């Protein structure tokens, strides 16, 4: 497992109240900003089903947003992942580059944009989630359905210079069962949850100096998640969902 807790903790110093917040305020913050967990997985990966099952357990919780991003680089070994998207492979490479690595692999969970948990490691994952829940996230997000459109609002308690922040909208399928007929997992029937179908960049370079508001014509009727993240595949600063 590779850890980058120092990076996620670093942004907490921007916040005016920091760790001195009362317990009840911290609990409210957790509800407003569930911890985002991205699982990079593949139907063609024999080591992935336990991690897929773990993500299904996480999907029952309100304090996290677990998302499954299916990559395409295992398709050549006998089974083409029915959910794979080369854009998700590219996103995983972006995280590897940000961490100073060229290697990508499955299964891999990335928590909050910075912490990496490799393989099926539920205890390590629980520890990292707990670390993130103790942080006061600097971006407050809301998603609202209004007359067939999605209204996205974001407010930040900090200003980010340079490349700024990226505002993103994700659509996912809550559950789908797949019968895998070939490859390393031939004969398995796997229930996949929170399968990412679309990942859109709504705005790049948002500094947080002024609130961000967007009216979006959704390309899907499936559940949506808004994510604000430091540019360059770095720290996730806020998240919200619309079921």
């Amino acid at each position: 497992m590779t850890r980058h807790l120092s990076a996620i903790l670093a942004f907490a110093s921007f916040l005016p109240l920091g760790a001195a917040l009362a317990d009840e305020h911290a609990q409210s913050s957790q509800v407003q900003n569930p911890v985002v967990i991205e699982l990079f997985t593949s139907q063609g990966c024999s080591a992935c089903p336990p991690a897929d099952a773990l993500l299904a357990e996480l999907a029952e919780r309100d304090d996290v947003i677990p998302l499954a991003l299916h990559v395409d680089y295992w398709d050549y070994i006998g089974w083409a992942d029915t959910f794979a998207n080369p854009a998700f492979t590219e996103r995983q490479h972006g995280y590897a580059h940000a961490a100073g690595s060229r290697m990508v692999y499955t299964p891999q969970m990335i928590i909050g944009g910075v912490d990496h948990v490799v393989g099926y490691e539920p205890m390590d994952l629980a520890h990292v989630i707990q670390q993130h829940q103790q942080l006061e996230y600097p971006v407050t997000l809301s998603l609202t359905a209004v007359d067939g459109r999605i209204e996205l609002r974001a407010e930040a308690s900090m200003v980010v210079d340079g490349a700024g922040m990226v505002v993103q909208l994700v659509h996912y399928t809550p559950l789908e069962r797949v019968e895998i007929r070939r490859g390393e997992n031939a004969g398995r029937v796997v229930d996949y949850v929170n399968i990412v179908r679309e990942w859109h960049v709504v705005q790049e370079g948002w500094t947080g100096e002024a609130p961000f508001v967007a009216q979006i014509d959704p390309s899907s009727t499936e559940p949506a998640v808004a994510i604000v993240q430091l540019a360059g595949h770095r720290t996730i600063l806020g998240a919200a969902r619309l079921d």
Side-chain angles (χ1 to χ4, degrees), residues 87-99:
F88 304 153
T89 301
E90 183 179 352
R91 182 169 176 82
Q92 191 182 23
H93 276 286
Y95 276 127
H97 178 76

Side-chain angles (χ1 to χ4, degrees), residues 13 60 101 124 137 154 160 167 170 173 243:
S13 62
E60 300 296 321
S101 174
D124 290 334
Y137 281 70
V160 178
V167 183
V170 179
T173 300
D243 294 328

Side-chain angles (χ1 to χ4, degrees), residues 74-157:
W74 294 119
D75 287 2
Y76 76 95
I77 61 175
W79 177 258
D81 191 308
T82 56
F83 308 134
N85 188 326
F88 304 153
T89 301
E90 183 179 352
R91 182 169 176 82
Q92 191 182 23
H93 276 286
Y95 276 127
H97 178 76
S101 174
R102 295 182 179 180
M103 182 181 299
V104 294
Y105 39 80
T106 57
Q108 179 188 33
M109 288 188 179
I110 297 182
I111 303 93
V114 287
D115 286 309
H116 300 194
V117 173
V118 180
Y120 176 73
E121 299 290 347
M123 295 302 294
D124 290 334
L125 177 63
H127 175 73
V128 177
I129 290 173
Q130 184 179 43
Q131 293 287 331
H132 282 258
Q133 289 176 330
Q134 294 172 4
L135 301 174
E136 177 71 9
Y137 281 70
V139 175
T140 300
L141 277 165
S142 68
L143 283 177
T144 310
V146 181
D147 297 329
R149 308 183 80 191
I150 294 176
E151 181 177 279
L152 189 160
R153 291 178 173 268
E155 291 190 45
S157 62

Side-chain angles (χ1 to χ4, degrees), residues 29-54:
S29 172
Q30 292 171 21
V31 173
Q32 292 175 1
N33 281 296
V35 178
V36 176
I37 302 167
E38 298 172 64
L39 170 64
F40 291 92
T41 186
S42 173
Q43 295 169 11
C45 161
S46 61
C48 286
D52 297 320
L54 179 57

